[in-house]
Structure formats: C-alpha cells, structure tokens
Amino acid sequence: MAKPLSILFVSSEVVPFAKTGGLADVSAALPQVVREAGHDIRIMMPKFAAVSDRKFKIHDIKRLTDMPIQLGEKTMLGSVKSSFLTNIKTKVQVYFLSNDDLYCRPDLYVDPKTKESWPDNDDRFIFFCRGVLRTMLLLGWKPDIIHLNDWQTGLIAALLKTEYANEPLFKNTKVVFTVHNAAYQGIFPKSSFEKTGLPDKTFKEQGLEFHGKMNLLKAGLMYADHITTVSPTYAKEIRSSKEYGFGLEGVFKRKARKTSGILNGMDTAVWDPSSDKMIAKTYTKDSLEKKLENKKALCEQFKLPFDPEIPVIGIVSRLADQKGFDLIEEKLADIMKLDLQIVVLGSGEKKYEDLFKKGAKKYKKKMGAHIGFDEELAHLIEAGSDMFLMPSKYEPCGLNQMYSLRYGTLPIVRATGGLADSVDDLDEKPKSGTGFVFKDYKAKQMLDAIKRALKAFDDRKVWEAAMVRAMKKDNSWDVSAKKYIELYKKLLKKK
Ligand code: ADP
C-alpha cells in the first residue's frame, strides 16, 4: 500500500458520543471505514454534557490540560481529552475539547427551555475551532487532510488560510469541507466576527460576510480546498436556487468546480434484515415470505387489521417542513380512499404530530401513528412495510430510503438530493427500477406515485423482482469511503 494518509476529521457530533442528526452517523461511520483502509484518521469534537467520562472511558491528555485559547479580548482555558471509537475491526482515536462553561449543557445547540439557539453559540464554536488547531500544534501532529463538517467547523478553514498560512505544521495540509445541510449556516452578528481574531479583510473582501452578518458555513466554503456535499444531486441543487441554497446559492455556484457530491453510505451491520434483532422475523432476498411475519407484527403493534393483500406504507421521520408532510396533509383524504394502510413514526412540529394523531383516530383501520423516537419500532416499520414514503422538499442525502431498499420495502420518493440518487423509478425503468419517484413538489404528483406503487404491488412477480433488486443494492460505506480517500489523494497531489 502507498503511504497511509493522516487525516483529522472535525465534527460537532459523533455517534455514540453525541447526536442530533445524520451528521453524527456519518462522523462515526466514515472515519471507521477510512481507518480500516489503513489510514491514520482521528476525530475531534466538543466535549458536550452527553459525552460521559465513565461511559466512554475518557481520559485526560496531561500536556493538553488548560490550554489558553483566545476568544476576542478574553483568554479561556480548554483541555483535551481522549477516547476511542471501536468496532470489531478498528479503533479510531477521538479528541474532545472540553470547557464545562461552554459545552456542559443539556443540549448541543439549543436551549431546551427556550427552544432557541444558545445565545453564545458564536463563542462556543469559535473557541472550538481555535482549540482544534491549537491541539494539533501542541501534539505536533501533521494532518495531510483536515476534513471539516458543517458550519460549526467552518472557521477552521479560514484560520488555516490566514492566521496559520505560514505555520510549517500545516504547510501541506489540504482542507475538505462537507456540507450536510445548507439550511443551517451559523449566522451571527458582525460583533461576533471581532471575536474570531481573523484579519478585517476576511470579513468583507474574502468572504465571511453575509448580508452584514458573519456566516460560518460561508467561511468553510470560501476557504476550503475542496467542498463536498452528501449526494451528487444535492451538490447541483444548492447552486440552483434560493430554495436549496438558502441564500448561499451564488457562493455554491462560484465554487462549483471545487465541489463534488458523494452519497453517504448506511450502516449495513445495524440495518440488515438477515440478522436484525429488533424485527419479528429475519429474512433475505431468498426468503421474502418471512417478511410477511413482520408485516403482521407491525399491524398488531399499530392495531390495524392484517391483510397480506393490502399494502402497508411506512413513514419514519423527523416531522419537519423539509420532509414534505404538507403534501400528505393536502391529499390525506384522497390517500385514505385508496386500498392501503399507513403507519407513521415521528416527532417534531406540532402541526404534523396533530395531523397524524388525528388521522389515526379518524381512519382507525387504515392509519396508525406513534409520536416519539423509537429505534426498535423504526426497524419493524422498515421490515414490515411494503412501501416507504419520503416526499421531501429537499433531502441532502437521506438514510431511510437506503434502509428501505435493503429491507425490500420499495421507497416512494420525490426526486431531490440523495433520494434522486438512490432510487430508480420502476415505471421508467422496469428492468432496474427500485421504487417510485415523482419530480415536482406537488401533492398531486405524490398521490399519482402512490397510485402507481399500488398498481405495481398487484403484480406479485414484478413487485418481488423489484424487491430483490432493491435488496441487492450496495449502499454501504465501503463505496463512499473509497471516493473520499480518492479525493484526499487527488488534493494532496495538487500544489
Ligand atoms: P435527517 O438526518 O434529515 O433527520 P435521515 O433520513 O438522513 O434524515 O436520517 C434520520 C435518521 O433518524 C434515520 O436513521 C431514521 O431512522 C431516524 N429517525 C428519525 N425519526 C425517528 C423516530 N421518530 N424514531 C426512530 N428513528 C427515527
């Protein structure tokens, strides 16, 4: 093997330490596969309250205790602690930047009492970004690649290319910045910029400025050597309009040549119908009849009458506008006239929680809803449903459609982001289709896609062939991690 790479992977959340969304899954899975490929990859994140010393066997790094870190006029102290991400094959070192005042709180980004962002999120992530680079310097560890993720880490790119531009340790370091969701940008008042310690010109001329404010996602975009997003289609969408780029579409457009879309992988060990302990009966593409036992268990759980001939559509989701529930709201009465059943698991915005709660009451025999977060039930829904509905307005990558494919549960999706990149329409491609795809964000188009799915379901032979194709698809991290490693190598060849 050629010389292994050294990579620092920086993310504000990593499973199992702290998670609010898909970012945390990526931040654990990708480094593990890169490590398996023989590279020295290490992770760094803030030490939030959830990161328990005892549970995760975290130890101090003595020489990195009480490091002074500049935050505007103030100097604050940060200490670095360490633990490992372990699985059967690998061990990845994780560094945590600790400062109890900043990070030891009941939630990562939001005050649960007010439901608003913590008022000092600027301090928390400026401190984190400075702390990460300080840690590298004190360790004397020279990363070939610093891989940053989302706005919380964006300032690192700007610091590296300005204040640290002549620092020998980072002389050959390349910066990759991954955008997991362009809707979250880390926007702060101009006064926050003063605390970054960056030269004045970096605000206006070179780019942290966004309508008079400081935008930390933009910092990452402006200063990274390469930008990635989590699916090829999303990479195109975010430069196409305000709807997807949330005001940064112009920047995404300017950076198009430096941007690539790499589809996320999924955890194939956790989501595997042949060994899943959370479902009623395990099955494979060669024993599809056993999937029916899961459908039966699912109907029981939701108190719906079980009929193998009636298709069950599953939904597992954050109940947020992004996910397209207003389309369902618009056509619920029409959907309920069809010969199908729907089960929903989700929590989030009250209007959607109410929509599904009321729906389950009104359509007792056809609709079941469980409001909450329930890992085990999510698995049973994937295994027991015939179809899975994801009509998202936008979807940077999306995981549930990949789980669905693996469980032979054909997805009905809107052609956006990762959904467009992972599901092929069965009517358009009868020989290779794996689901049902509609183009425009219109309730009627979604309803038509559901109707097309019901029609296909009636032809058992066609349906089972599509199930088998879906189950054979390789959406593992192996495929995606290879692309990241190729990208790292390509960047290092550039002068
Ligand atoms: P996003 O990151 O936008 O929420 P993804 O599809 O990328 O969407 O990932 C969501 C993850 O969270 C999936 O693993 C999904 O199964 C899980 N999930 C979402 N809502 C729930 C819920 N109510 N109960 C259990 N799991 C959920």
Side-chain angles (χ1 to χ4, degrees):
M1 180 181 152
K3 187 176 161 284
L5 305 175
S6 46
I7 304 143
L8 177 70
F9 192 91
V10 191
S11 173
S12 60
E13 41 185 288
V14 182
V15 159
F17 306 109
K19 167 169 175 168
T20 68
L23 168 64
D25 295 311
V26 176
S27 302
L30 174 59
Q32 281 177 330
V33 184
V34 172
R35 178 76 197 90
E36 276 167 36
H39 302 287
D40 180 7
I41 185 164
R42 308 180 195 179
I43 301 171
M44 188 148 184
M45 67 178 284
K47 189 171 177 299
F48 293 116
V51 189
S52 140
D53 292 80
R54 205 179 301 152
K55 185 168 164 201
F56 296 116
K57 300 198 179 81
I58 289 171
H59 59 266
D60 295 333
I61 302 181
K62 286 232 164 60
R63 67 195 165 108
L64 301 182
T65 304
D66 290 340
M67 305 183 297
I69 296 168
Q70 206 64 28
L71 191 65
E73 311 269 278
K74 280 187 287 183
T75 303
M76 293 177 78
L77 300 179
S79 298
V80 181
K81 297 173 184 256
S82 165
S83 179
F84 291 92
L85 256 186
T86 41
N87 67 13
I88 311 163
K89 292 192 217 151
T90 59
K91 230 173 143 182
V92 176
Q93 184 157 25
V94 185
Y95 299 116
F96 301 94
L97 182 66
S98 141
N99 176 304
D100 286 353
D101 288 340
L102 291 176
Y103 305 125
C104 225
R105 302 183 188 176
D107 195 274
L108 269 58
Y109 315 121
V110 171
D111 182 345
K113 276 195 203 129
T114 60
K115 302 243 184 202
E116 302 278 335
S117 298
W118 293 110
D120 58 348
N121 271 353
D122 52 347
D123 289 4
R124 300 171 80 222
F125 292 101
I126 293 169
F127 183 86
F128 175 61
C129 290
R130 286 202 158 271
V132 167
L133 294 177
R134 183 106 205 113
T135 302
M136 294 301 107
L137 285 173
L138 291 175
L139 283 175
W141 188 57
K142 198 179 191 138
D144 296 315
I145 298 285
I146 297 187
H147 188 154
L148 307 174
N149 294 276
D150 279 352
W151 70 263
Q152 295 87 347
T153 65
L155 195 65
I156 293 176
L159 287 167
L160 277 167
K161 304 290 168 163
T162 54
E163 189 176 321
Y164 288 87
N166 297 317
E167 168 55 53
L169 193 78
F170 302 124
K171 192 165 162 264
N172 300 314
T173 301
K174 297 287 188 210
V175 181
V176 175
F177 184 63
T178 298
V179 179
H180 297 258
N181 193 332
Y184 301 94
Q185 299 185 353
I187 298 173
F188 299 97
K190 170 141 200 258
S191 53
S192 301
F193 175 75
E194 322 289 324
K195 298 190 236 177
T196 64
L198 285 170
D200 283 345
K201 62 178 184 195
T202 53
F203 190 68
K204 198 92 189 163
E205 291 157 46
Q206 294 167 357
L208 269 68
E209 193 262 348
F210 184 73
H211 304 296
K213 296 185 173 172
M214 172 176 81
N215 182 322
L216 292 180
L217 189 78
K218 193 172 169 216
L221 300 177
M222 295 302 283
Y223 288 95
D225 295 296
H226 195 87
I227 299 161
T228 73
T229 67
V230 290
S231 70
T233 296
Y234 192 59
K236 286 186 209 138
E237 287 172 339
I238 49 180
R239 69 178 84 118
S240 71
S241 71
K242 189 162 188 212
E243 231 182 310
Y244 293 101
F246 293 91
L248 286 179
E249 54 283 359
V251 180
F252 284 120
K253 204 174 202 169
R254 285 207 296 284
K255 298 287 176 185
R257 281 177 44 201
K258 279 188 174 181
T259 305
S260 41
I262 301 178
L263 195 68
N264 281 341
M266 57 169 278
D267 190 332
T268 47
V270 174
W271 295 92
D272 181 355
S274 73
S275 61
D276 193 331
K277 293 201 168 57
M278 294 187 238
I279 63 179
K281 184 94 183 169
T282 56
Y283 61 98
T284 68
K285 63 177 174 38
D286 301 315
S287 58
L288 290 181
E289 70 287 351
K290 293 187 189 154
K291 185 169 162 56
L292 214 55
E293 307 252 346
N294 293 299
K295 182 166 169 174
K296 200 168 175 190
L298 183 63
C299 288
E300 266 167 30
Q301 185 115 351
F302 279 94
K303 299 195 173 60
L304 296 173
F306 167 66
D307 181 343
E309 305 293 321
I310 295 179
V312 172
I313 301 184
I315 294 176
V316 180
S317 185
R318 282 188 294 124
L319 299 181
D321 279 330
Q322 177 202 331
K323 301 291 178 178
F325 295 114
D326 50 340
L327 301 188
I328 298 181
E329 187 169 23
E330 196 180 323
K331 289 286 179 200
L332 189 62
D334 295 296
I335 296 171
M336 285 297 136
K337 280 183 201 141
L338 303 171
D339 208 7
L340 50 67
Q341 292 171 327
I342 294 192
V343 295
V344 184
L345 166 63
S347 65
E349 287 176 35
K350 189 169 176 306
K351 59 179 173 181
Y352 298 128
E353 291 188 353
D354 289 346
L355 170 76
F356 291 120
K357 273 196 273 190
K358 277 186 199 152
K361 252 192 206 152
K362 185 166 175 191
Y363 306 102
K364 265 207 169 61
K365 293 196 171 147
K366 298 187 89 165
M367 186 172 209
H370 182 93
I371 303 303
F373 194 95
D374 187 333
E375 187 81 25
E376 201 166 322
L377 187 54
H379 282 247
L380 185 62
I381 292 177
E382 289 293 2
S385 305
D386 298 291
M387 304 158 189
F388 194 91
L389 182 58
M390 273 178 100
S392 305
K393 195 177 279 173
Y394 70 93
E395 194 64 73
C397 175
L399 289 171
N400 274 306
Q401 83 280 12
M402 296 194 199
Y403 305 155
S404 301
L405 291 168
R406 196 135 201 264
Y407 282 68
T409 302
L410 303 192
I412 304 169
V413 302
R414 186 169 96 81
T416 181
L419 301 176
D421 294 331
S422 53
V423 182
D424 288 315
D425 188 85
L426 191 59
D427 289 318
E428 232 170 70
K429 299 181 183 166
K431 291 223 163 70
S432 60
T434 48
F436 302 88
V437 183
F438 64 99
K439 294 265 166 358
D440 302 327
Y441 193 69
K442 300 243 162 68
K444 165 133 188 356
Q445 287 200 14
M446 179 195 67
L447 183 64
D448 287 345
I450 295 175
K451 286 180 182 166
R452 289 195 290 118
L454 296 193
K455 192 157 168 252
F457 184 77
D458 280 342
D459 188 337
R460 204 58 212 162
K461 228 167 142 190
V462 169
W463 190 265
E464 283 189 1
M467 284 171 84
V468 170
R469 275 198 299 275
M471 293 175 83
K472 276 182 167 163
K473 271 199 122 183
D474 184 1
N475 284 317
S476 69
W477 266 105
D478 296 343
V479 180
S480 319
K482 261 193 203 127
K483 293 187 181 159
Y484 278 105
I485 295 170
E486 274 164 26
L487 170 68
Y488 297 156
K489 288 183 178 164
K490 203 172 92 191
L491 285 174
L492 288 171
K493 277 192 198 138
K494 281 192 188 161
K495 277 283 155 240

